[in-house]
Amino acid sequence: MSFFSFGQSAEIDIVLNDGETRKKVEHKTEDGKKEKYFLFYDGETVSGKVNITLKNPGKRLEHQGIKIEFIGQIELYYDRGNHHEFVSLVKDLARPGEMTQSQTFDFEFTHVEKPYESYTGQNVKLRYFLRATVSRRLNDISKEMDIVVHTLSTYPELNSSIKMEVGIEDCLHIEFEYNKSKYHLKDVIVGKIYFLLVRIKIKHMEIDIIKRETTGTGPNVYHENDTIAKYEIMDGAPVRGESIPIRLFLAGYEMTPTMRDINKKFSVRYYLNLVLIDEEERRYFKQQAR
């Protein structure tokens, strides 16, 4: 029983007009789980209905107005009190008054700008959501519905191969080459490693994909590195003149597009890390951003 009737006297449900046909995609939540959400792109219209169901039919529900909002916001986990909104649209559905029966309200946000990709990371979250609110004097009644936004990119005009050398003077000289410098999320990294000089006893070599998330600005910058993949390319000692092919399929790994200075709040970049370990467990590595 609600004390002094402070409990919610109505339920809100948000239903999209194209909910039966719109594609859903999996997206990671803050607790690391994956859930399915409706997928939208930049410029697409978001429309639907807000259903308000009275829990006690026949009993009046007084309110100070009913509205729905479309919000895009960034939340930095170290500053949870502040939500940085980069999209904020509001539609009034009803003026102040009273409801005596359950009602349905139509809404439409036309050609909504959604400039950034949805993202849940180690220290930051970028989300889009609809929020319907019945404003009341003491306690608002509200309901949120998250959606996921994917950004579309064009193929780069220039996507040249990468060729690099790594070495320790008079001990080790390796040349490695990747077929291009930019990859899409379902791409295959194709490359080759050449051993020009080997005078140390290498027992293991791998390629790692490292995700680096950078949040904050100035003195409050946080870097978080996360190893997305470890791919063993050699087990045993190579000899001079040997070459090893690389073929790494990205589709099997949990990756996002590269994000550069999103709303001046955060960035996400990926690196290919070539790691060599010798018989004395010393590690040698060379990193290349992609």
Side-chain angles (χ1 to χ4, degrees):
M1 185 179 289
S2 300
F3 188 64
F4 286 118
S5 296
F6 282 177
Q8 291 192 353
S9 51
E11 287 184 348
I12 302 176
D13 192 26
I14 302 171
V15 181
L16 296 180
N17 283 342
D18 57 358
E20 291 186 4
T21 56
R22 180 166 290 276
K23 183 180 177 181
K24 282 189 168 184
V25 293
E26 282 191 341
H27 186 73
K28 191 171 73 172
T29 60
E30 201 175 317
D31 58 7
K33 295 177 183 175
K34 284 187 174 180
E35 293 186 10
K36 286 202 165 185
Y37 299 94
F38 289 110
L39 173 64
F40 282 84
Y41 295 96
D42 182 28
E44 281 194 296
T45 293
V46 182
S47 65
K49 293 175 171 55
V50 176
N51 299 321
I52 301 176
T53 306
L54 297 185
K55 287 186 177 179
N56 303 305
K59 187 176 179 182
R60 294 183 309 165
L61 173 67
E62 293 186 12
H63 61 83
Q64 273 69 55
I66 301 170
K67 66 181 178 181
I68 186 163
E69 301 164 272
F70 182 86
I71 296 170
Q73 74 177 21
I74 296 170
E75 181 183 350
L76 299 165
Y77 296 163
Y78 65 82
D79 186 22
R80 283 188 181 271
N82 292 319
H83 292 160
H84 307 277
E85 293 185 356
F86 54 88
V87 176
S88 181
L89 305 173
V90 184
K91 299 275 186 186
D92 289 320
L93 302 177
R95 295 178 181 176
E98 60 181 42
M99 288 177 61
T100 56
Q101 60 184 12
S102 300
Q103 280 184 261
T104 295
F105 300 91
D106 294 315
F107 70 87
E108 182 172 281
F109 295 100
T110 309
H111 305 311
V112 186
E113 184 183 1
K114 311 174 200 73
Y116 309 122
E117 180 113 357
S118 298
Y119 176 74
T120 303
Q122 302 285 97
N123 292 312
V124 62
K125 177 169 65 180
L126 189 153
R127 66 185 282 240
Y128 295 86
F129 60 97
L130 290 160
R131 180 167 61 208
T133 305
V134 178
S135 300
R136 305 190 70 200
R137 224 178 242 119
L138 293 174
N139 56 330
D140 291 348
I141 306 168
S142 67
K143 174 75 175 285
E144 293 183 355
M145 175 185 175
D146 281 77
I147 65 166
V148 163
V149 170
H150 284 180
T151 54
L152 295 172
S153 298
T154 55
Y155 278 94
E157 289 181 16
L158 287 174
N159 198 0
S160 53
S161 61
I162 300 171
K163 192 170 186 178
M164 291 189 298
E165 294 183 15
V166 59
I168 305 164
E169 193 174 353
D170 296 329
C171 293
L172 181 70
H173 189 183
I174 298 174
E175 211 173 67
F176 57 101
E177 189 172 358
Y178 300 117
N179 61 329
K180 49 192 174 184
S181 55
K182 299 179 179 71
Y183 296 90
H184 63 76
L185 300 182
K186 306 293 182 187
D187 220 333
V188 183
I189 296 174
V190 177
K192 197 169 268 192
I193 296 174
Y194 305 92
F195 292 88
L196 306 177
L197 176 66
V198 185
R199 286 184 181 158
I200 56 175
K201 292 183 178 178
I202 298 169
K203 70 169 188 179
H204 177 77
M205 183 161 59
E206 68 185 30
I207 282 184
D208 301 340
I209 299 175
I210 310 289
K211 180 175 90 169
R212 174 173 288 179
E213 180 186 285
T214 304
T215 52
T217 55
N220 299 316
V221 172
Y222 297 84
H223 297 291
E224 192 80 43
N225 286 351
D226 186 18
T227 301
I228 302 294
K230 283 181 181 285
Y231 177 72
E232 184 179 288
I233 51 177
M234 189 195 71
D235 188 12
V239 295
R240 181 180 174 181
E242 190 173 356
S243 68
I244 297 175
I246 298 167
R247 188 173 288 269
L248 177 58
F249 293 84
L250 298 179
Y253 301 108
E254 200 172 286
M255 301 175 72
T256 69
T258 297
M259 300 179 176
R260 290 185 173 87
D261 200 22
I262 301 298
N263 204 234
K264 301 196 181 335
K265 295 292 184 293
F266 72 98
S267 299
V268 180
R269 297 193 72 186
Y270 290 85
Y271 296 85
L272 287 169
N273 212 16
L274 179 68
V275 182
L276 294 84
I277 301 166
D278 68 14
E279 290 185 348
E280 295 177 23
E281 297 299 326
R282 288 177 296 202
R283 295 171 69 88
Y284 310 88
F285 67 89
K286 181 79 172 179
Q287 199 170 77
Q288 172 64 39
R290 74 159 194 87

